[in-house]
Amino acid sequence: MTKIAIIYYSMYGHVAGFAESVKKGIEASGATCDIYQVAETLPEEVLGKMGAPPKKDHPVMTPEKMSEYDGFMFGISGRFGSVPAQMKAFMDSTGGLWQSGGLVGKAAGTFVSTGTQAGGQENCQVSMISFFAHQGMVFVPLGYVDPKVFTNDEAHGASAYGSGTLASSDGSRMPSELELAVGETHGKHFGGITAKLAA
Ligand SMILES: Cc1cc2nc3c(=O)[nH]c(=O)nc-3n(C[C@H](O)[C@H](O)[C@H](O)COP(=O)(O)O)c2cc1C
């Protein structure tokens, strides 16, 4: 059976919650899916000042555990149009896999949360591609496989690169029905492509 891991960083819970929709889609494709988070790098005191709630109890991913999976969906909480330092720290811990070629040919996808519509959701995902390239991974974009990505009728966080949500500048907005549905389609699409790559 195809095995997929979701690996995310979430400070306020938007990405962590969105991951459940992506997981639902992955499982609908016939693959298994486990959700992990990357290790926090900020001290508790700073997290408290930033108003971050306690973490979900998803286990922390390690480079060693990655060898058990055929593909990875990375969930990104946007920072200045790019990935958070916590995700970068995780990527930087995978040097051994780079040396051994341990991730070569494995599928990689991305989903994202940003505060605002033009807050860099596409760039956050594009900035993961150099990591995928250096690891020899195969980036699987969402494209427009879900026609809802085309819509201009309401604000949403999805793009050709991957699914996503808009948290608003104060974090008060929760993922919309449209965004969650696209997240599920994204997971299903990613699961199907990962199965073909792993076959
Ligand atoms: C230091 C920092 C930088 C941020 N930079 C951006 C940004 O460039 N564009 C944007 O739209 N939102 C930005 N945000 C808002 C986050 O993307 C938002 O809090 C996040 O998407 C919420 O997801 P989460 O609850 O899963 O962490 C930033 C937040 C922080 C704390």
Side-chain angles (χ1 to χ4, degrees), residues 34 101 157 192-193:
D34 300 314
I193 303 270

Side-chain angles (χ1 to χ4, degrees), residues 10-189:
S10 181
M11 181 171 273
Y12 301 107
H14 297 82
V15 171
F18 198 84
E20 297 294 343
S21 284
V22 178
K23 177 179 177 174
K24 208 167 153 192
I26 288 172
E27 289 175 343
S29 78
T32 65
C33 179
D34 300 314
I35 304 182
Y36 295 87
Q37 54 192 315
V38 298
E40 184 54 82
T41 57
L42 291 173
E44 281 299 329
E45 190 191 350
V46 175
L47 290 170
K49 285 182 178 164
M50 292 177 84
K55 299 281 180 206
K56 302 256 190 239
D57 58 7
H58 296 128
V60 170
M61 183 46 112
T62 62
E64 295 71 35
K65 268 189 227 151
M66 289 182 91
S67 60
E68 297 169 21
Y69 293 92
D70 301 304
F72 307 93
M73 268 285 220
F74 291 87
I76 306 157
S77 177
R79 295 289 181 276
F80 306 117
S82 189
V83 297
Q86 292 85 346
M87 183 60 80
K88 184 69 170 62
F90 174 73
M91 290 191 274
D92 289 357
S93 74
T94 64
L97 292 167
W98 169 59
Q99 292 284 324
S100 67
L103 297 177
V104 171
K106 298 200 180 203
T110 55
F111 61 95
V112 69
S113 170
T114 59
T116 60
Q117 265 189 90
Q121 61 267 53
E122 289 177 319
N123 207 55
C124 287
Q125 297 177 87
V126 169
S127 60
M128 293 291 290
I129 293 177
S130 63
F131 171 66
F132 301 150
H134 284 253
Q135 290 284 8
M137 299 170 90
V138 181
F139 176 51
V140 181
L142 172 61
Y144 288 79
V145 296
D146 189 327
K148 287 188 277 305
V149 181
F150 283 114
T151 194
N152 285 326
D153 296 341
E154 62 176 84
H156 65 82
S159 74
Y161 295 89
S163 54
T165 185
L166 305 172
S168 82
S169 56
D170 63 1
S172 60
R173 184 180 181 275
M174 287 298 134
S176 67
E177 272 183 36
L178 183 147
E179 289 170 337
L180 293 172
V182 174
E184 211 173 313
T185 308
H186 188 195
K188 194 170 178 190
H189 176 65

